[in-house]
């Protein structure tokens, strides 16, 4: 934790870019299997893969930024268990932002369907 009172603009921008990208991925993930015609479904899958790679890259940038620019200090009255829960949850979210795209990449790389990935 640092003496800063709030996150800087880069951290805030990365946060909201990631939030938007993750929401789009969730929505697309739920609907892309049912899209027709086939060309639309394939385009949706390609977009999903490209956005997943973008999320992975943004997550790594965000992680590096966070390591170089510590988060603001917790409120003075915060209990120890609340700090621990906040740190654990924050770490879990970072892990998910990296591991979920890597899992998708692994699945598509080992799939017997050999559709090439075209980045956007």
């Amino acid at each position: 934790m640092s003496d800063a009172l709030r996150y800087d603009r880069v951290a805030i921008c990365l946060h909201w870019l990631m939030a938007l990208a993750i929401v789009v991925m969730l929505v697309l993930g739920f609907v892309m299997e049912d899209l027709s015609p086939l060309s639309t479904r394939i385009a949706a899958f390609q977009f999903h893969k490209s956005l997943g790679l973008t999320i992975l890259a943004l997550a790594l940038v965000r992680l590096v930024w966070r390591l170089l620019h510590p988060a603001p200090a917790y409120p003075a009255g915060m209990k120890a268990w609340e700090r621990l829960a906040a740190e654990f949850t924050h770490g879990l979210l970072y892990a998910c932002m990296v591991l979920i795209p890597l899992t998708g990449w692994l699945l598509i790389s080992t799939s017997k369907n050999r559709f090439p990935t075209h980045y956007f």
Side-chain angles (χ1 to χ4, degrees):
M1 297 297 137
S2 72
D3 293 331
L5 296 176
R6 56 179 286 147
Y7 288 96
D8 60 31
R9 289 182 182 178
V10 174
I12 293 169
C13 183
L14 286 170
H15 169 87
W16 287 109
L17 278 172
M18 291 289 296
L20 177 63
I22 290 169
V23 168
V24 169
M25 283 293 276
L26 284 169
V27 171
L28 188 58
F30 283 116
V31 302
M32 66 185 182
E33 282 285 337
D34 299 325
L35 293 174
S36 61
L38 181 60
S39 61
T40 302
R41 188 175 328 137
I42 290 171
F45 271 87
Q46 286 294 345
F47 183 77
H48 186 84
K49 292 190 290 184
S50 294
L51 190 54
L53 291 172
T54 303
I55 287 172
L56 177 60
L58 283 173
L60 295 174
V61 167
R62 186 174 174 181
L63 185 59
V64 169
W65 188 263
R66 172 72 188 271
L67 292 173
L68 297 175
H69 300 86
Y74 291 118
M78 197 171 191
K79 296 177 180 129
W81 71 267
E82 292 173 324
R83 289 175 192 242
L84 184 62
E87 289 172 5
F88 175 77
T89 304
H90 210 160
L92 187 60
L93 288 170
Y94 273 99
C96 285
M97 288 186 289
V98 172
L99 293 176
I100 291 172
L102 284 176
T103 303
W105 189 358
L106 177 67
L107 287 172
I108 199 66
S109 297
T110 59
S111 172
K112 57 185 167 184
N113 299 325
R114 293 292 177 192
F115 290 110
T117 299
H118 301 287
Y119 190 69
F120 290 110

